[in-house]
Amino acid sequence: NRESFEAVVAVLRAPRSREALARVLDERLDFYSAMFRIAGNVELDRALPLPRAHLFRTQFHRYLTEVDLRAMIREYRDVADAILDGDEE
């Protein structure tokens, strides 16, 4: 599980050009999918309906600035670091 999660996280950690920032929406979906699969908790899929949220965010993606997208990536990195460090809080 750790290796598969680290592979997904590696994509979010990779340096990216401004043009590559647009891919963060798909990468985020992979990130959550990996977490949910590893957690083995089917209720997470019901509690966090990602496909609908993904569609909604995609509609507003063009309004996000580069600063917004980089902050989003930084937050996902922080969550990943906490998970990999075993920091349950």
Side-chain angles (χ1 to χ4, degrees), residues 70-86:
R70 291 195 186 279
M72 183 185 304
I73 292 167
R74 192 169 40 257
E75 289 173 3
Y76 288 112
R77 288 177 182 164
D78 290 346
V79 169
D81 288 344
I83 290 169
L84 293 168
D85 291 343

Side-chain angles (χ1 to χ4, degrees), residues 9-76:
V9 171
V11 174
L12 288 172
R13 291 180 197 258
R16 62 189 71 225
S17 66
R18 181 183 172 135
E19 295 78 30
L21 285 172
R23 289 194 303 266
V24 74
L25 292 174
D26 292 328
E27 293 164 1
R28 180 186 58 214
L29 187 60
D30 294 340
F31 177 78
Y32 280 113
S33 294
M35 277 196 311
F36 292 177
R37 181 186 52 74
I38 291 167
N41 183 334
V42 296
E43 294 301 315
L44 286 174
D45 284 324
R46 286 185 5 173
L48 297 170
L50 285 176
R52 286 182 294 217
H54 184 65
L55 176 62
F56 179 75
R57 288 183 179 140
T58 300
Q59 292 170 339
F60 291 97
H61 185 266
R62 65 182 159 183
Y63 300 110
L64 296 174
T65 67
E66 180 177 351
V67 171
D68 294 331
L69 291 169
R70 291 195 186 279
M72 183 185 304
I73 292 167
R74 192 169 40 257
E75 289 173 3
Y76 288 112

